[in-house]
Amino acid sequence: MTEQASRKVEMEKIVSLCRRRGFIFPSSEIYGGLSSCWDYGPLGVELKQNIKQAWWRAVVQERDDIVGLDASILMHPQTWAASGHLEGFADPLVECKNCHLRWRSDDLKGNNCPSCGGELTEPRLFNLMFKTFMGPIEEEASVVYLRPETAQGMFVNFQNVVNTTRKRLPFGIAQIGKAFRNEITTGNFIFRSREFEQMEIEFFVKSGTDEEWFNYWLEERLNWYVKLGIKKENLRLREHTKGELAHYARVCYDIDYLFPMGWAELEGIANRGDFDLVQHASFSGKSLDYFDEETKEHIIPYIIEPSAGVDRSALAFLCDAYDEELAEGEIRVILHLHPALAPIKAAVLPLSRREKLVAVAKQIYADLRQWWMVSYDDAQSIGRRYRRQDEIGTPFCVTVDFQSLEDEQATIRERDTMNQIRVPINELKTTLEAKLSGERFDTQPLWTAKG
Ligand code: GAP
């Protein structure tokens, strides 16, 4: 089997796991679904939340040169004239004269309609922005757009942030939020959807230092994925060719991930030069320059933009974590998710439903829930319950058995190695805390029973 063919099977498995265990459902499924829109279920919403939190922590919380922002999705329509989206954010489409289906002309292999073989029109540009109306009257003057990227909210707030935070160059603004694109080519599950979330940084620097900062961000962002568990061999950097470069970009690299369908963009990192601030200053008539205290000059900063997708990151983390192994004659499905990303950090499992055991297990559950997302499961055999937690990536299971009633200890079982250690119940929280933040599990294993 070729590499691509063998990985394609995996995508089907990912889709099936996500559906079966409540990570991701088709949007409005009871009405037959809405094309390329997805709903994140109880586990999916935790995974997405954890990805966003890990990103925010790395780029805002742990740095003193980036601040956060949450701009509105609807922006003044002039924003999109200034940004170039009204004119340039378009795909060339052809329409079949027979069945009237539309196709991206750059995706077509032949000269005829791939669906019915009919004759095609000449390509026409089709804008990818969703249009709607603000206020009660549906007229041209009240047209607004759902933002196709979060970036513009940060450019138009540049002066607000400088004035209120007194940040000096180099500094950045970071934002996480929804973006909408009326994509023509969709598919590959959540890889390309019409409503998605972005995590973007606009990093403002002095011109002349832009190349250095660009390289810095390439490395920083690649390392973020690796630290959260993505295998290095599944990541690569790819430079955009001149023909591919967006109208605003001087240089752009994609961080590609080896998805089941092949290498594809996970994140884009662009050197946008002074394009955005110059454009918005010109369209708004407001100054967006910056006073450089060192040279006593007014300058327009350059912008380095690392722009990541939450949904694509979720897909990459799921694909990279997915594994199957043979355990006691059965296939064990495991998500080796990094503990920071795992939707559930620990599951509390009483060995039986006997009243005395349940009371202890429920108390442990109540205690641990104060700190993390923890689940409680007492249905079916302990082996099955372990498998259910392995499949959703829960790093630790806490098992309460009859011995626990006597020695006030419980067993912690680790997902990847299936090793187990015995811990006093009143030390469960501190032990799990240490293990979740990376302490080795096998320091003092009592036994290594596979289970
Ligand atoms: N501000 C720059 C910008 O938006 P982009 O390369 O068009 O650049 C950045 O998008 C990231 O947003 C992509 O790398 C991808 O992760 C995510 N993204 C873009 N379009 C998407 C879509 N239709 N569905 C899911 N994610 C998407």
Side-chain angles (χ1 to χ4, degrees), residues 149 181 183 191-193 198 200 265-266 305 307 309:
E149 59 175 16
R181 295 182 190 179
E183 299 279 6
F191 176 80
R192 181 172 285 115
S193 45
Q198 289 186 313
E200 299 199 292
E265 176 187 348
L266 177 59
E305 177 193 65
S307 172

Side-chain angles (χ1 to χ4, degrees), residues 154-167:
M154 294 183 266
F155 304 141
V156 301
N157 276 296
F158 170 70
Q159 211 58 273
N160 283 339
V161 171
V162 172
N163 293 342
T164 54
T165 65
R166 303 161 60 91
K167 287 278 173 215

Side-chain angles (χ1 to χ4, degrees), residues 323-390:
D323 198 8
E324 290 176 2
E325 64 175 40
L326 207 57
E328 292 166 358
E330 273 186 29
I331 300 274
R332 179 169 93 107
V333 173
I334 320 144
L335 282 186
H336 296 287
L337 285 172
H338 188 285
L341 301 183
I344 306 289
K345 310 298 183 204
V348 180
L349 318 174
L351 204 59
S352 94
R353 285 180 173 163
R354 293 264 185 85
E355 210 174 303
K356 281 190 174 164
L357 272 195
V358 167
V360 176
K362 284 262 162 91
Q363 188 55 50
I364 294 175
Y365 177 47
D367 289 346
L368 297 181
R369 277 165 73 180
Q370 296 179 76
W371 307 99
W372 307 286
M373 287 300 294
V374 176
S375 76
Y376 181 90
D377 187 2
D378 61 6
Q380 298 183 308
S381 74
I382 193 74
R384 285 210 176 278
R385 283 183 269 164
Y386 283 149
R387 298 287 173 273
R388 277 205 288 273
Q389 297 302 328
D390 293 340

